[in-house]
Amino acid sequence: EKITLDLLQDFDLIDLSHSLSESIPFWDSSSNFKIAINDNYGDYGFKTHIYSFDSGFSTHIDSPIHFYECSNIDVSSIPLKQLFSKLIVIDISNQCSKNSNYQLSLDDCLDFEKKNGIIEPNSFIICYTSWSDKWYNSNAYRGCDQNGILHFPTISKEAAEFLIKKDINGIGI
């Protein structure tokens, strides 16, 4: 799909990514990310690397097929146009600093709309949790307790259903 530069003129692009390294957190206590030099200016005349990691690692996009066995919608099926959206940031960092299991609530969404206006269709919602401050400390980021239970912010079912009815393009945390 072709995206013209005219479409991008009304956007500020915001990089939400993190650099890949063997120290970034993964679901279990391992990094699960490996990088090795494949060719160091030898056979090919340039440097190449081999990267190895599980999907769902680092900054990424999930598609319905990741969670629903009956879905056939993978990342390549998401229209490129849908990835260019008005970004709405709902800041729940204060709540998350007090409760590592905090969930974006329906009240958070309604409060956002009272202060900022209605969430428009085709918007992309980001829940700002400040959890990225823990990125380089795997144990803190995962929030794993002594029983192996992970603790980190998420989105409540009620908030997700509310946002889906708004016909948003996506939601991130």
Side-chain angles (χ1 to χ4, degrees):
E1 181 179 351
K2 181 179 175 184
I3 299 291
T4 63
L5 290 179
D6 291 342
L7 176 65
L8 297 178
Q9 288 179 355
D10 295 332
F11 286 87
D12 291 324
L13 298 178
I14 301 169
D15 183 1
L16 300 175
S17 63
H18 290 281
S19 297
L20 294 176
S21 76
E22 293 185 8
S23 66
I24 61 176
F26 193 68
W27 288 109
D28 62 16
S29 60
S30 71
S31 163
N32 215 6
F33 175 78
K34 305 292 180 232
I35 183 172
I37 294 175
N38 182 45
D39 188 63
N40 202 5
Y41 306 104
D43 294 336
Y44 304 123
F46 49 87
K47 189 176 215 170
T48 61
H49 293 86
I50 297 172
Y51 297 93
S52 172
F53 54 93
D54 288 346
S55 64
F57 180 75
S58 188
T59 307
H60 66 280
I61 298 171
D62 275 331
S63 61
I65 200 170
H66 183 74
F67 294 100
Y68 303 105
E69 191 173 351
C70 61
S71 177
N72 63 352
I73 300 172
D74 62 11
V75 172
S76 67
S77 302
I78 300 172
L80 185 58
K81 196 177 209 177
Q82 190 174 340
L83 299 178
F84 288 87
S85 304
K86 177 178 182 178
L87 180 67
I88 293 177
V89 178
I90 301 177
D91 186 347
I92 56 172
S93 58
N94 187 45
Q95 297 95 313
C96 294
S97 70
K98 298 173 187 165
N99 177 2
S100 60
N101 291 313
Y102 189 79
Q103 295 183 333
L104 174 75
S105 69
L106 176 58
D107 284 342
D108 294 324
C109 297
L110 296 173
D111 288 344
F112 176 88
E113 286 193 324
K114 283 179 193 170
K115 294 175 187 169
N116 301 285
I118 300 298
I119 295 171
E120 298 173 22
N122 304 314
S123 296
F124 192 97
I125 312 302
I126 291 286
C127 301
Y128 176 66
T129 64
S130 74
W131 214 250
S132 60
D133 294 348
K134 303 173 187 292
W135 185 252
Y136 293 103
N137 181 336
S138 183
N139 289 334
Y141 186 81
R142 292 170 59 248
C144 190
D145 66 21
Q146 64 273 15
N147 298 318
I149 308 280
L150 302 180
H151 300 275
F152 50 84
T154 59
I155 300 161
S156 73
K157 179 180 178 185
E158 295 78 19
E161 289 172 344
F162 172 79
L163 293 169
I164 288 169
K165 288 178 185 171
K166 294 281 185 178
D167 197 25
I168 61 171
N169 279 350
I171 190 165
I173 196 162

